[in-house]
Amino acid sequence: MYVSRGARTATRAGASAAVLGAALLLAACSSSGDANKDGEGDKVGAGITQQPKEADPFWVNPDGNAAKQVARYAKSGKDDDAEQIRKIAQQPTGEWIGPENPEQEARGFTEAADKAGRTALLVLYNIPHRDCGQYSQGGAADGDAYRSWIDGVAAGIGDRSATVILEPDAVLHLVDGCTQDEFHEERYDLLTGAIEKLKSLKNTKVYLDAGNAGWGHPDQIFEPLKWAGIAKADGFSVNVSNFYSTQDSIAYGKQLSAKVGNKHFVIDTSRNGNGPYKDGDENERWCNPPGRALGETPTIKTADSLVDAYLWVKRPGESDGECKGGPKAGQWWPTYALKLAQASGT
């Protein structure tokens, strides 16, 4: 039943680290000075550099799990492993805002990005009744709690530049029967309200999640996307936390775009270098599959005019859940991260 699901990354597992990280990011970035503002390749901490802004305007977090792993490997003399993990550490990845301190986290990430002259990539994954009781279950206690959480995120972002991936799987789970009928009306209302709130900000783009190329057909989800407020969003996201090829994701996105007013979309390419896993239990092929690889590096220079960006929404190296020997969803798993990097080649 749960084959080809989208996001399986828990925010709660990384929430406490993110709260601390948000408080430290400005200090970490400030050590590199104002020369970072528009410079390409300037160091932003521990040898971690930003990518060229004209191709990739999103912020690289110098204090992320991958960056810390690079430092650990280097300190222990594992230079080859350090260079492999650097493939992850030097790419911008999504910052999944936790449930407890949304304003503090959003402010910390966007201020650090702003100081570097970049755009923060934020992922909001806190919808009530999230993930239908699976590895990433949870979310806000109720609709009012969610609205308050969104208000906190918006207050934290302010006028700074941010791109938001809104609620991976939330619409998909309304379509596939996973979310109980009694919660549907509220979820549509919450998503519409979140889009309106975030789009009221001066420099925030919003992409509502729209599943992936493997779960079904665009005909099944385009009307629900409209009910969820896609018309007021900048577009939609596909392949979040999944493994479908960029080519298949573009085809899926273009079919869907044609049904929702030719909206643009973004693709999560973080782990799709070898495409989807096709062996084992089909209900858990999405969960920490072996033999996968990093995909195209993040960029706004894509293969199609409708595709605004290739993004690493899912942070490569963080577990999908307690399957195939993995830790809890959202926890850093250096062994898996190393395999992803090694499989991606040079």
Side-chain angles (χ1 to χ4, degrees), residues 136-160:
S136 296
Q137 63 182 293
D142 54 33
D144 287 341
Y146 185 77
R147 294 182 185 95
S148 178
W149 184 79
I150 289 291
D151 287 345
V153 172
I157 294 173
D159 288 343
R160 290 176 291 277

Side-chain angles (χ1 to χ4, degrees), residues 36 43 67 181 223-224 227 232 252 329:
N36 229 11
K43 295 194 174 184
D181 290 348
E223 287 288 1
W227 300 334
K232 294 184 178 180
Y252 172 79

Side-chain angles (χ1 to χ4, degrees), residues 129 132 169-170 173-174 176-184 187:
H129 318 292
C132 308
D169 280 354
H173 283 171
L174 292 173
D176 65 8
C178 181
T179 301
Q180 295 178 340
D181 290 348
E182 63 191 276
F183 303 131
H184 285 207
R187 180 167 294 186

Side-chain angles (χ1 to χ4, degrees), residues 10-26 59 61 94-113 120-126 149 152-158 160 162 315:
T11 55
R12 184 173 297 277
S16 59
V19 172
L20 176 60
L24 297 176
L25 288 173
L26 280 176
W59 175 64
N61 184 345
E95 300 294 348
W96 297 61
I97 301 298
E100 304 299 335
N101 297 283
E103 183 173 350
Q104 178 183 349
E105 290 183 32
R107 178 175 292 112
F109 293 133
T110 55
E111 285 184 350
L121 177 62
L122 307 179
V123 188
L124 305 189
Y125 187 50
N126 196 39
W149 184 79
V153 172
I157 294 173
R160 290 176 291 277
R315 294 196 289 250

Side-chain angles (χ1 to χ4, degrees), residues 183-259:
F183 303 131
H184 285 207
E185 183 176 355
E186 177 187 61
R187 180 167 294 186
Y188 284 123
D189 181 68
L190 293 176
L191 292 171
T192 299
I195 291 170
E196 291 176 349
K197 181 70 177 183
L198 294 165
K199 285 305 299 173
S200 72
L201 303 176
K202 184 177 180 180
N203 293 304
T204 296
K205 292 185 177 181
V206 181
Y207 295 88
L208 177 63
D209 191 62
N212 57 72
W215 79 274
H217 193 275
D219 282 344
Q220 297 171 267
I221 200 171
F222 79 91
E223 287 288 1
L225 284 172
K226 291 181 178 179
W227 300 334
I230 188 65
K232 294 184 178 180
D234 292 275
F236 56 90
S237 59
V238 301
N239 204 48
V240 170
S241 292
N242 225 299
F243 302 87
Y244 292 94
S245 72
T246 302
Q247 181 180 359
D248 288 347
S249 296
I250 290 174
Y252 172 79
K254 291 178 75 172
Q255 290 179 58
L256 186 53
S257 173
K259 297 177 181 295

Side-chain angles (χ1 to χ4, degrees), residues 301-334:
K301 294 185 176 181
T302 68
D304 193 280
S305 60
L306 282 173
V307 184
D308 284 346
Y310 300 149
L311 302 174
W312 284 9
V313 181
K314 165 75 175 183
R315 294 196 289 250
E318 294 187 0
S319 177
D320 293 315
E322 295 174 273
C323 62
K324 301 181 183 70
K328 291 182 178 180
Q331 289 189 5
W332 175 249
W333 188 8

